[in-house]
Amino acid sequence: MEERREAPTRERRSEEHQEPLHPAIEDDAEETRRLTETWAAPTGFVGWFMPVNQRIIGRRFIVTAFVYFVLAGLLGIAMRLQLAAPENDLLAPEIYNQFFTVHGTAMMFLFAIPVLEGFALFVVPMMIGTRDMAFPRLNAFGYYVYLIGSGVFFLMLLVGMAPKAGWFNYVPLSGKLYEPGLGVDIWTTMITFIEVSALTAAVELIVTILKLRAPGMTLNRMPVFVWASLVMAFMIVFAMPAIIVASSLLILDRLVGTGFFVPEMGGDPLLWQHLFWFFGHPEVYIILVPALGMVSTIITTFCQRALFGYTAIVMSIVATGFVSFGLWVHHMFATGLPHLGMSFFMAASALIAIPNGIQVFCWIATMWGSRMRLATPMLYVLGFFWVFVMGGLTGVMVASIPFDLQVHDTYFLVAHFHYVLIGGSVMPVIGALYYWYPQMTGRMMSETAGKISFGLVFVGFNVTFFPMHQLGLEGMPRRVYTYLEETGWGELNLVATIGSVVLAAGFATTMVNALASLRWGETARRNPWGAETLEWATESPPPPYNQRHIPVVKSREPVWDWREEDERPVVVGLRSDRREVVVTSMLDAEPQAVQVLPGPTIWPFLSALAATVGFIGILFHPVFFVVSFFLAFFSFVGWFWPRRPWQED
Amino acid sequence: MRQFAGTDVSGLTRFAKQTHPLYAGIIGLIAIELTVVAMLVVSYSYLMLTAPEWPPAGLAPAPLLWPSVNLGLLLTSMVTMRWAGNRITAGDRRGLILGLLASVSLHALVLVFRALEMAAYEFRWDDHAYGSLMWTISGFHFTHVASAIVGTLVVAILAVKGYFTPERQLGVVVDTLYWNFVSAAWIPFYLALYWGPRLI
Ligand code: HEM
């Protein structure tokens, strides 16, 4: 296993550290107690609205996102039941339209992005060896905004006023003329809300990753998952504003009669499509990139050897980030844009296969000849390979314009994007859930249930979505609530529906497993998988301060180094009576300063409420714009006002 | 496992300025907002370039005088802000307060001029896409100037209370950073809204 690691051997290290012999540090129980006290999160009902610790917020994101996964999954099953037989009348057309819109929107905005953010918020600070995010309160704010926004959006379904214009909400279909009522209004405002939450998480992640890494963790020693989270965060920063602008313009069109998307007034519906896909395409990679980081992490651990081609993998991740911004037009091939431009985007669409291919080869090289341990996380990664490669293949097919024009808006597309989304993202995420569960709860999830769940998901998934390729080629359009007997699509649809029930059973097994293991799971040992990264260099679950000492890092696999050397260097000199973390330089992670982090507070929650009053109020009266401006102002002052005694030093 | 001291950080500053994560965070916020600015300018240009006539028939391009005066005021306020920061570095609290208030007054003047200018527009936002864009972008910038003013007023109050010292001035540093963004964001809007129609 050591062939590829340039870990310093015992001899080399003792040479380096001969003079002066470093005295060992003994942990003082009194100081440990004080650390616990300083970093503890408040409890009780009011306390629930106050914590700012990164692991608590990250866990909330993950749990909430999985709730939406289940809800939106149920909608998917309902649609499949409706389509099981021709001219079925389980769901009325109105309802079917609401269902696919809410299913798509919820899966993309309420589940996929938040769950990956959640994992990043939960794992990254521990992986880089620090104790919290750089802006803990902002982190909490992001969560409440997400919770409120997504909750309001989903409630619309219960009262029968959900939007019906599809997850990309094209104008003019989403204009006042075809979609009166509150549905689309809520869609636009709540999407903006959720994007704000994503943006706060992104800024947090970028700054935390660039400034709070453990001393010695230079950029090229950073774990791949951290790289992936960094790239995801940058993509969010440059992609999300487009959708915020787009939905703000749309809400203005709907509320005060502006004409951005109205041709008679000199506006242009295509503007919506450009803005939406300028965000929408990177969005797919925002979901994909961190999932690929999870795959790298899991492979390294379960093959017990350093990742082959670290540099190549990091470069591919970064390249994916850049190229994905050049792809938006490929969603609009059917709109009749100028030819030269179209060819450019067609080339770019095919180009994105290259960095992804490189990563796949590096993973194969890592796994080649290793003694792989086939635990559940690794099984999900293997499942990911198969499904993702299939999705990639159909992706290259639809990137070619002549083919795209054929299958545009058919079930071929539905099959393609479920292959990419479930294969590329959901499977690694489930694997990651099994993998990091011990750090979230202190227990292990059941392996038996995990293997059953994987089997059901893998079979169910392919049975559900593979036939849709054929249905698409036979011409079955997407977004129809039923089809005629004579089309002959009945059998394949029935197969797909049966598959979807199996698939759902697979996901349900994992969800039940996660809940049951809270109570009955085996207690986790320290570093149960034998991983190499810093989130495992502490107990399971970690104490509120994450690590007793912030470590000093000398390679890409610090935990394996310490395993060999049986000693490790750590940071000393941080105070334990307030929340202090080390700030290091961006490239080389040299210690530069100490940041004093704020403690628990209610202000982020109040600020989120202020924003809610504004965003929802605006739908009813413009004066709420001014009201919320001042509410937000006061809550921000409360948030930032320095507490006495002003931190003296 | 044996642990030994790899680095001692007890002597490192707790009052970092440019190296403080908050500084990087504000740059992140500005990056987001600059993308929003870019998206607005792109939307404006997209509709301008696809329209047969811009502004719509019967309208002249909006007058240049007041927007140009505002540009001057906004750029000057960046200088006064900078000066305020220098004063507190030198330990001169009164200079800091003076500089902050001068900058706030300049921005307040901009708000007045902008309000007068918008009141004099010959079109409403629901007349045509041109009107929608003029009003929306103006509103966006107006709101930003207003928030920069209230934010800086809070900093000024803290300054009066003696919170800032040559050491502890992160608040002033990041407020200045955001201030500069708000002031400079007028440049692309100014070029697009007032020069764009004249140049195509
Ligand atoms: C339990 C598993 C799932 C099932 C059974 C399922 C089923 C479906 C069905 C039947 C449709 C509607 C097709 C149509 O009428 O056009 C659909 C659309 C969609 N699904 Fe899924 N799906 C599942 C999981 C997911 C996941 C995990 C994601 C994303 C992360 C996702 C994203 C979407 C999107 C974006 C649409 C398009 C909605 C629209 O047309 O606006 N689905 N799905």
Side-chain angles (χ1 to χ4, degrees):
Chain A
M1 135 195 160
E2 266 68 44
E3 309 112 52
R4 294 217 190 78
R5 297 183 51 227
E6 13 150 333
T9 60
R10 204 172 239 293
E11 293 80 297
R12 229 171 68 214
R13 282 195 37 97
S14 48
E15 247 165 57
E16 277 170 22
H17 288 282
Q18 210 83 78
E19 47 0 308
L21 253 180
H22 297 275
I25 302 174
E26 300 305 332
D27 291 343
D28 167 16
E30 168 59 19
E31 188 158 349
T32 309
R33 196 192 53 74
R34 206 153 1 115
L35 261 181
T36 314
E37 212 164 83
T38 306
W39 289 87
T43 50
F45 178 73
V46 181
W48 195 89
F49 297 96
M50 295 171 66
V52 292
N53 300 48
Q54 142 268 322
R55 274 183 306 121
I56 299 184
I57 306 291
R59 209 163 51 201
R60 285 183 180 176
F61 263 104
I62 295 172
V63 170
T64 315
F66 270 113
V67 169
Y68 289 116
F69 177 64
V70 171
L71 292 175
L74 290 175
L75 295 179
I77 298 291
M79 288 189 289
R80 277 314 325 162
L81 291 178
Q82 160 67 19
L83 294 175
E87 295 168 72
N88 198 354
D89 55 5
L90 180 70
L91 299 178
E94 277 288 287
I95 302 289
Y96 188 89
N97 291 350
Q98 295 192 4
F99 275 23
F100 75 67
T101 304
V102 174
H103 168 81
T105 309
M107 282 292 188
M108 301 300 269
F109 295 105
L110 273 50
F111 164 65
I113 299 185
V115 85
L116 289 160
E117 277 163 28
F119 272 106
L121 297 179
F122 184 88
V123 174
V124 163
M126 290 199 288
M127 236 184 199
I128 61 175
T130 188
R131 290 179 167 162
D132 207 336
M133 305 289 290
F135 315 117
R137 294 185 174 183
L138 188 64
N139 211 9
F141 174 75
Y143 175 72
Y144 298 120
V145 166
Y146 160 59
L147 183 66
I148 297 175
S150 57
V152 172
F153 175 77
F154 228 94
L155 278 180
M156 294 307 281
L157 191 65
L158 293 187
V159 295
M161 291 204 287
K164 309 187 278 295
W167 84 278
F168 38 72
N169 211 31
Y170 275 177
V171 285
L173 187 57
S174 59
K176 206 72 187 170
L177 187 58
Y178 298 99
E179 276 264 10
L182 271 182
V184 170
D185 296 337
I186 294 282
W187 187 95
T188 48
T189 38
M190 291 303 110
I191 291 308
T192 304
F193 241 63
I194 294 164
E195 308 307 9
V196 167
S197 146
L199 285 166
T200 58
V203 173
E204 293 264 6
L205 280 168
I206 293 177
V207 177
T208 307
I209 292 173
L210 292 181
K211 299 298 299 180
L212 296 186
R213 295 195 308 274
M217 187 183 281
T218 57
L219 276 189
N220 73 28
R221 289 180 187 155
M222 218 159 78
V224 174
F225 181 70
V226 178
W227 269 108
S229 305
L230 184 66
V231 171
M232 163 182 85
F234 271 108
M235 288 168 74
I236 290 180
V237 164
F238 293 110
M240 298 270 175
I243 181 79
I244 292 189
V245 168
S247 40
S248 309
L249 299 187
L250 179 60
I251 199 80
L252 286 172
D253 267 12
R254 293 177 56 93
L255 289 181
V256 297
T258 53
F260 299 105
F261 305 121
V262 186
E264 302 84 76
M265 292 170 71
D268 188 347
L270 273 186
L271 177 61
W272 170 270
Q273 294 201 20
H274 279 296
L275 289 174
F276 185 88
W277 288 118
F278 183 78
F279 142 82
H281 197 81
E283 142 111 1
V284 175
Y285 289 89
I286 289 171
I287 296 174
L288 185 66
V289 160
L292 300 183
M294 292 170 169
V295 170
S296 292
T297 311
I298 293 178
I299 288 183
T300 317
T301 302
F302 287 85
C303 296
Q304 284 289 309
R305 58 152 66 143
L307 205 56
F308 176 85
Y310 171 88
T311 314
I313 288 193
V314 169
M315 299 292 263
S316 324
I317 293 178
V318 176
T320 309
F322 277 105
V323 179
S324 70
F325 278 91
L327 295 191
W328 84 93
V329 172
H330 82 200
H331 297 266
M332 301 164 62
F333 282 160
T335 55
L337 296 170
H339 253 287
L340 181 64
M342 298 278 266
S343 310
F344 167 79
F345 285 105
M346 184 160 118
S349 305
L351 194 69
I352 194 115
I354 296 175
N356 289 317
I358 292 179
Q359 294 198 59
V360 171
F361 286 123
C362 289
W363 291 325
I364 293 179
T366 311
M367 293 190 288
W368 198 272
S370 71
R371 264 167 289 123
M372 198 192 300
R373 178 169 160 201
L374 284 180
T376 311
M378 191 65 205
L379 287 179
Y380 270 101
V381 165
L382 294 179
F384 149 86
F385 271 118
W386 161 257
V387 176
F388 181 64
V389 170
M390 282 280 305
L393 283 180
T394 52
V396 175
M397 287 163 79
V398 292
S400 112
I401 296 177
F403 187 80
D404 182 66
L405 290 179
Q406 276 302 313
V407 297
H408 187 77
D409 269 343
T410 69
Y411 261 82
F412 193 87
L413 258 283
V414 178
H416 160 68
F417 65 68
H418 282 91
Y419 263 81
V420 181
L421 292 171
I422 298 193
S425 195
V426 179
M427 287 202 172
V429 162
I430 306 254
L433 178 68
Y434 280 88
Y435 182 68
W436 278 307
Y437 192 82
Q439 277 335 54
M440 294 183 205
T441 64
R443 291 174 188 271
M444 310 288 287
M445 280 169 79
S446 153
E447 267 297 307
T448 324
K451 288 189 173 131
I452 295 174
S453 135
F454 171 71
L456 290 174
V457 167
F458 188 74
V459 173
F461 173 77
N462 285 297
V463 176
T464 313
F465 292 104
F466 196 80
M468 291 187 189
H469 291 115
Q470 180 61 27
L471 281 173
L473 293 177
E474 286 175 19
M476 178 166 170
R478 67 192 279 204
R479 294 177 170 174
V480 289
Y481 77 104
T482 195
Y483 49 93
L484 294 177
E485 179 89 60
E486 298 81 69
T487 53
W489 299 331
E491 278 147 42
L492 284 178
N493 269 303
L494 184 62
V495 172
T497 302
I498 295 173
S500 71
V501 175
V502 178
L503 176 61
F507 286 136
T509 312
T510 290
M511 297 297 125
V512 173
N513 189 0
L515 290 178
S517 302
L518 274 180
R519 194 64 207 277
W520 294 290
E522 179 193 333
T523 314
R525 285 176 292 118
R526 208 183 159 104
N527 197 358
W529 311 112
E532 82 291 12
T533 39
L534 292 178
E535 80 274 26
W536 300 103
T538 178
E539 297 98 275
S540 298
Y545 46 83
N546 286 356
Q547 333 232 4
R548 180 63 182 77
H549 299 280
I550 290 181
V552 177
V553 172
K554 295 214 156 29
S555 81
R556 273 176 210 149
E557 294 90 17
V559 177
W560 289 349
D561 294 348
W562 304 333
R563 191 162 70 185
E564 281 155 35
E565 293 154 15
D566 206 34
E567 63 168 11
R568 60 172 194 166
V570 297
V571 171
V572 294
L574 286 179
R575 280 167 56 172
S576 53
D577 58 345
R578 62 182 195 189
R579 301 187 172 200
E580 289 198 340
V581 293
V582 187
V583 178
T584 51
S585 62
M586 293 205 189
L587 302 182
D588 297 330
E590 303 278 359
Q592 277 179 328
V594 170
Q595 185 187 7
V596 185
L597 296 179
T601 163
I602 189 92
W603 285 108
F605 178 69
L606 297 182
S607 306
L609 279 188
T612 311
V613 170
F615 272 88
I616 306 241
I618 253 179
L619 300 183
F620 300 96
H621 197 287
V623 76
F624 276 95
F625 184 73
V626 183
V627 173
S628 68
F629 180 85
F630 285 103
L631 280 181
F633 169 68
F634 286 119
S635 56
F636 282 138
V637 172
W639 175 335
F640 284 111
W641 196 260
R643 307 285 180 274
R644 278 176 193 277
W646 292 332
Q647 298 153 353
E648 304 290 350
D649 243 304
Chain B
M1 187 186 331
R2 206 179 82 92
Q3 308 191 103
F4 61 90
T7 315
D8 186 352
V9 296
S10 49
L12 291 184
T13 173
R14 267 69 173 164
F15 292 116
K17 285 178 241 167
Q18 264 80 352
T19 51
H20 194 283
L22 188 57
Y23 191 83
I26 298 290
I27 293 190
L29 172 68
I30 292 175
I32 292 172
E33 295 231 40
L34 277 180
T35 318
V36 172
V37 169
M39 288 297 153
L40 286 172
V41 171
V42 166
S43 304
Y44 179 90
S45 316
Y46 182 87
L47 292 182
M48 173 170 79
L49 295 176
T50 49
E53 259 180 303
W54 196 265
L59 283 178
L64 273 177
L65 176 62
W66 291 111
S68 312
V69 172
N70 284 336
L71 184 66
L73 292 174
L74 288 165
L75 295 182
T76 316
S77 79
M78 289 164 70
V79 179
T80 52
M81 260 322 240
R82 173 72 187 264
W83 182 78
N86 289 345
R87 290 326 299 155
I88 190 63
T89 309
D92 170 9
R93 187 152 65 91
R94 289 200 34 189
L96 170 68
I97 299 171
L98 218 65
L100 291 174
L101 291 182
S103 317
V104 166
S105 320
L106 288 171
H107 265 203
L109 214 54
V110 171
L111 284 193
V112 174
F113 290 156
R114 290 252 58 201
L116 290 176
E117 189 196 337
M118 282 154 77
Y121 281 163
E122 300 161 34
F123 47 82
R124 279 167 51 102
W125 53 89
D126 52 3
D127 285 348
H128 36 59
Y130 173 75
S132 311
L133 280 162
M134 290 296 278
W135 278 95
T136 306
I137 293 180
S138 300
F140 175 84
H141 187 254
F142 194 92
T143 316
H144 274 76
V145 176
S147 14
I149 291 181
V150 290
T152 305
L153 279 178
V154 174
V155 172
I157 293 173
L158 278 172
V160 171
K161 292 180 155 240
Y163 175 74
F164 296 108
T165 62
E167 273 234 291
R168 180 170 45 225
Q169 48 159 297
L170 181 65
V172 180
V173 173
V174 297
D175 186 60
T176 308
L177 202 55
Y178 192 70
W179 184 275
N180 290 344
F181 156 71
V182 170
S183 309
W186 183 239
I187 300 174
F189 288 149
Y190 172 72
L191 293 178
L193 266 49
Y194 298 92
W195 287 96
R198 291 185 162 76
L199 295 181
I200 53 162

